[in-house]
Amino acid sequence: MSRSVVVTGLGVVARGAIGLPAFEDLLAQGGDAPDAPMHFDTSGFRARRAYAADPRDTEEALRQAERAGQLSGLTEPQIVCAGHGILAALEAIRMAGLSEMPRGVGCAVATTSGGLMDGYSDALMAGKGERDAPDLVTPASAAHVLSQVFDLNGPLCAFSCACVSSLGAMSYALSRVRNGDADIMIVGGSDRMRAADFAGFNALRAMDRETCRPFDRTRKGMMIGDGSAILVIEAEDHAKARGAEPIVRLSGMGLASDSHHITSPNPRGLTRAMKQALQQAGRKPSDISYVNCHGTGTPLNDAAEAEALDGVFTGKGDLIISSTKGTTGHLLGTAGAIEIVATILALKSGKAPPMLSTKDPEDVPFTLSLPEADRTLATGVVMKNSLGFGGLNGSLILELPDIGDL
Amino acid sequence: MMDSIVISASLADAASQDLLPPDRPMADAPFGPFPLYYLDHGAAEADARTSKGRHTRVSFRLDDMITRLLAQTGLSREDIAGPGTGLISGSCYGCAQVFEMHMRLRKKGPRGVDPVSFAQATHNYPISAAAIEFGIEGPCLAAVSAGGAGLDALQIATDWLREGRCERVLVAAYEDFAPPIADHLAARAQTTPGKSYGEAMVLLLLERESVAAARGVHGAPELMSIVNQNTPEPKVGAKPQTPFAAQTFSPRTIDYLGAGGLLAVHDLLNSPDVGQRGSEHWQIAAPATAGSSVAVRIGIRQMEDCI
């Protein structure tokens, strides 16, 4: 059994952007300059800025949803643990028209570290013993919160495999729907920035102190972000039967490791993942008009990624590539999910998002999605790539639902 | 016709009462101050002193178990190198380094976090380190879905084989009780009399039947089906939902959390009771843990009388 899978709902929370309209505006305008996150002190670090969502905005939006009768009984620990994810899932589920949640809807959630173990550790070090939400300390806690809040009782799984986590979750969700284990899966990522992760990237000297400039000659590193992106994916026949409109089709997924180094990517893994995705989708490289890259803005990543792309899209100079991390920041485990949403928005609008922070573009054999470039997509078939610590790679192919053969 | 999937090897390291000193209580006795069972980490600690901390104790044990599995199966390092082999891990709590890093940051400030320890502080570090060590270039992921994590990993491995992403997958499940996970679990055990948790690592080799047969392996148990069902915890005021019926094979009394389901598979495959009646169909449910109500079912049958 292998069913066609489509997206029927999207939801997003990013810095300064709750909901799709605000997110579209963020991608188009670039948003405010990065700033220190609200919920921990970065003054002792070399780099001090981030693209953090304001947790107060998220909590207020959730309380507003409670007042409107869309949610009920959210606890403070649930909001701290998975508030961004609850908000994004609420938007996605409403867009998908799931006013009553059917039985058997599954949930696959990506996370960087997950859960409230840091809070537990703080309480332990302060001699306060167990926290008031001991069930929410595991990495899977956000997935469990979403399943509880939205009554999801189908397959449930959580992934934490560095920056490829979201594509791992998407791969799992795709398999569940394709195989008939579930008609609908709620899938994506949810992350609240951790001081420890900030400290780690600071120690690696992988963060730019000013801003993130993917594929820029002067790029110096990444800018951490947080938030959530959740998608409702569904068997196409199931969506049509209930009158839901497919937004895009998910046609191919590739996964591969490069077996090279813990923090330094090698292009061969991503090349293999892209080829696997193309094969599964039944597409040729020439069918792809846009690639949303991992594009962290670190010298190593962007160079390796451009080399990997050249291994698949050789001579295809009109291929538009971009990274949206210059606008959203790097959401780590959730990065793939929010970038899938950005990719879907590009596919729907027919135009790639501009790389507003890239002022001195790197010489790559493709068309960088710079503000002044023609960013019009030539076909309705696009690709989203993610790379993770430890040489993990994922590639996803998305198509307009009515694209057919090219 | 789709190639069958077989479990051609399994290994398990599981902390148990057998490893306790004689003065400690047995597993079926009240545990009092001994709610946690630990694996022997002596070899990992010795390695850490000589290899400049390249390994965490989880990544050390995974490398060691892969080496032992190769010896058990007759496969070489070259056989598993390349894109034909995938690697997946499942764990409830994942790698303690992820949380230890936060504690070091709190105690020492930014200087408490160094690049090496940060690189090790991802839940995929054990599989990534093993992929690099053994040249594994197929899909690699880390599932962290509470009590069902090990069986989730088994299901994902099955997906990869059925979708043609690779021809064999190493499936690992583990739990490791370093601080603060150990403190958390000890506190949890105190609230449930008789409850005890154990560290474990389990490693299974899943292969397409034709791949196993090509190197002379016949009659390995076939993995027939896996179902992942999740019954959400009841909301306040609601009645608890009855878990779905599943014949459970779980002979151990210690809770191995995310490793428990895969450990039950290992125990089943190594049980003298299995395969005595020819073709059999077994079901295994992942042990329930507080905070997790994920349950998974799988079917396994002995193939000896089918070949």
Side-chain angles (χ1 to χ4, degrees), chain B residues 1-6 8 161 166-168 206-220 303 307:
Chain B
M1 187 176 172
M2 188 181 289
D3 211 353
S4 296
I5 294 169
V6 296
S8 47
L161 293 170
C166 51
E167 56 192 27
R168 63 170 64 92
L206 250 64
E207 294 182 280
R208 291 193 210 165
E209 186 189 352
S210 59
V211 173
R215 59 186 177 85
V217 176
H218 299 283
M303 295 183 63
I307 295 174

Side-chain angles (χ1 to χ4, degrees), chain A residues 8-42:
Chain A
T8 54
L10 305 169
V12 66
V13 174
R15 57 120 177 179
I18 292 177
L20 281 175
F23 185 59
E24 287 184 272
D25 190 54
L26 176 69
L27 291 174
Q29 306 298 327
D32 297 332
D35 205 350
M38 302 282 302
H39 52 289
F40 61 86
D41 178 18
T42 59

Side-chain angles (χ1 to χ4, degrees), chain B residues 8-306:
Chain B
S8 47
S10 77
L11 285 171
D13 288 353
S16 74
Q17 61 269 35
D18 299 335
L19 301 176
L20 283 174
D23 59 330
R24 298 273 178 95
M26 299 299 288
D28 54 356
F31 281 91
F34 308 112
L36 304 182
Y37 286 105
Y38 292 90
L39 288 166
D40 181 353
H41 297 292
E45 285 158 8
D47 176 78
R49 287 191 290 273
T50 58
S51 70
K52 298 181 180 176
R54 182 174 65 89
H55 271 304
T56 65
R57 60 192 199 184
V58 176
S59 70
F60 178 85
R61 186 174 297 277
L62 181 57
D63 274 19
D64 177 62
M65 288 189 79
I66 293 174
T67 302
R68 282 188 273 151
L69 185 134
L70 293 181
Q72 184 189 92
T73 58
L75 286 165
S76 67
R77 291 173 73 101
E78 290 72 25
D79 289 331
I80 64 166
T85 303
L87 178 56
I88 173 100
S89 68
S91 176
C92 176
Y93 285 92
C95 294
Q97 285 75 16
V98 175
F99 312 116
E100 283 179 326
M101 196 172 65
H102 174 80
M103 297 175 84
R104 283 203 305 276
L105 180 65
R106 282 283 181 268
K107 285 177 185 168
K108 299 180 180 177
R111 290 176 188 276
V113 178
D114 64 275
V116 173
S117 61
F118 174 59
Q120 293 175 335
T122 55
H123 294 302
N124 61 293
Y125 183 77
I127 57 160
S128 289
I132 293 167
E133 172 65 25
F134 293 94
I136 294 169
E137 296 183 348
C140 289
L141 290 176
V144 285
S145 41
L151 293 183
D152 283 338
L154 193 63
Q155 184 174 39
I156 293 161
T158 308
D159 292 340
W160 293 348
L161 293 170
R162 288 191 174 141
E163 292 163 4
R165 298 192 190 283
C166 51
E167 56 192 27
R168 63 170 64 92
V169 185
L170 294 163
V171 186
Y174 68 89
E175 294 300 340
D176 177 64
F177 299 161
I181 295 170
D183 305 290
H184 166 69
L185 286 174
R188 296 203 75 158
Q190 284 173 3
T191 64
T192 313
K195 185 74 175 176
S196 60
Y197 298 100
E199 290 185 325
M201 183 178 283
V202 189
L203 183 65
L204 265 56
L205 176 62
L206 250 64
E207 294 182 280
R208 291 193 210 165
E209 186 189 352
S210 59
V211 173
R215 59 186 177 85
V217 176
H218 299 283
E222 179 187 4
L223 184 58
M224 298 174 71
S225 65
I226 300 181
V227 178
N228 176 327
Q229 294 188 351
N230 165 46
T231 306
E233 288 189 321
K235 290 184 174 179
V236 176
K239 289 182 180 177
Q241 297 181 35
T242 306
F244 63 82
Q247 184 182 341
T248 302
F249 183 91
S250 54
R252 299 183 189 241
T253 54
I254 297 170
D255 189 345
Y256 294 96
L257 299 160
L262 221 54
L263 188 58
V265 174
H266 169 81
D267 287 343
L268 175 68
L269 298 181
N270 290 277
S271 166
D273 299 331
V274 172
Q276 296 302 309
R277 295 175 294 278
S279 187
E280 298 171 0
H281 191 181
W282 291 85
Q283 293 187 356
I284 291 177
T289 57
S292 164
S293 47
V294 181
V296 184
R297 290 185 289 182
I298 65 168
I300 297 172
R301 72 184 162 93
Q302 294 295 117
M303 295 183 63
E304 287 171 15
D305 58 344
C306 305

